[in-house]
Amino acid sequence: MKHFKIEELIRCYRENGARCRECPLKTKAERVPNGAENNERALVEEVLDPARERLGAPKAVNSGYRCPLHNSRVGGVANSQHMKGEAADIKPVHGSGFTVQDLGKVIEELGKFDQLIYYPTFIHVSWKKNGPNRKQILYKH
């Protein structure tokens, strides 16, 4: 992982059982499910790092792995790829001169993604380490 740290993508997990900083209810954090960290690493290596290289500017991670409680509280779908470590919500870093659309077009051009969902202020991007990737593009405005 060249441009990202796993801590940017997995924030719900606390080995010592501390609370999830992201969950509004501040309950005890759950352990990351088997494979989720490896899935996030694959997402970075296959999608996020290459997009960062092509764009030539950093991007911020809003959300990567989410525990079920966190996912529920932010309105995530019940089968969210975030809970498997297969997804991240990203945006261009403020002041980079790039838009959400610029970032999305780079990911589209690279052609390695499962889902690419454009929101007004960020992009949801996913990658399946195991299984076929749909290359599905959606717009949620």
Side-chain angles (χ1 to χ4, degrees), residues 13-19 28 31:
Y13 171 63
R14 298 287 178 273
E15 193 165 305
N16 65 1
R19 295 176 178 178
K28 184 175 179 177
R31 301 233 179 243

Side-chain angles (χ1 to χ4, degrees), residues 9-82:
L9 296 151
I10 298 181
R11 295 182 180 146
C12 283
Y13 171 63
R14 298 287 178 273
E15 193 165 305
N16 65 1
R19 295 176 178 178
C20 172
R21 289 184 290 182
E22 311 297 337
C23 298
L25 296 180
K26 300 296 181 194
T27 60
K28 184 175 179 177
E30 298 181 18
R31 301 233 179 243
V32 174
N34 286 338
E37 186 170 334
N38 288 337
N39 290 340
E40 287 289 358
R41 288 182 189 281
L43 173 65
V44 169
E45 291 167 4
E46 298 295 331
V47 183
L48 300 182
D49 270 348
R52 163 67 172 88
E53 294 283 325
R54 174 77 63 91
L55 190 63
K59 53 188 164 290
V61 176
N62 294 343
S63 181
Y65 168 79
R66 296 193 297 233
C67 70
L69 176 61
H70 181 180
N71 188 65
S72 173
R73 295 293 291 185
V74 299
V77 296
N79 63 344
S80 173
Q81 288 181 280
H82 284 279

Side-chain angles (χ1 to χ4, degrees), residues 126-141:
S126 64
W127 172 258
K128 292 181 185 179
K129 181 180 172 191
N130 301 306
N133 285 285
R134 300 169 282 184
K135 293 192 178 181
Q136 182 181 47
I137 301 172
L138 302 169
Y139 298 88
K140 304 276 184 160
H141 292 277

Side-chain angles (χ1 to χ4, degrees), residues 56-110:
K59 53 188 164 290
V61 176
N62 294 343
S63 181
Y65 168 79
R66 296 193 297 233
C67 70
L69 176 61
H70 181 180
N71 188 65
S72 173
R73 295 293 291 185
V74 299
V77 296
N79 63 344
S80 173
Q81 288 181 280
H82 284 279
M83 295 187 302
K84 300 174 192 172
E86 294 177 340
D89 294 340
I90 59 175
K91 64 182 179 182
V93 170
H94 182 71
S96 69
F98 293 99
T99 67
V100 167
Q101 290 73 26
D102 294 334
L103 178 55
K105 292 299 177 197
V106 165
I107 294 170
E108 285 184 46
E109 289 169 6
L110 291 170

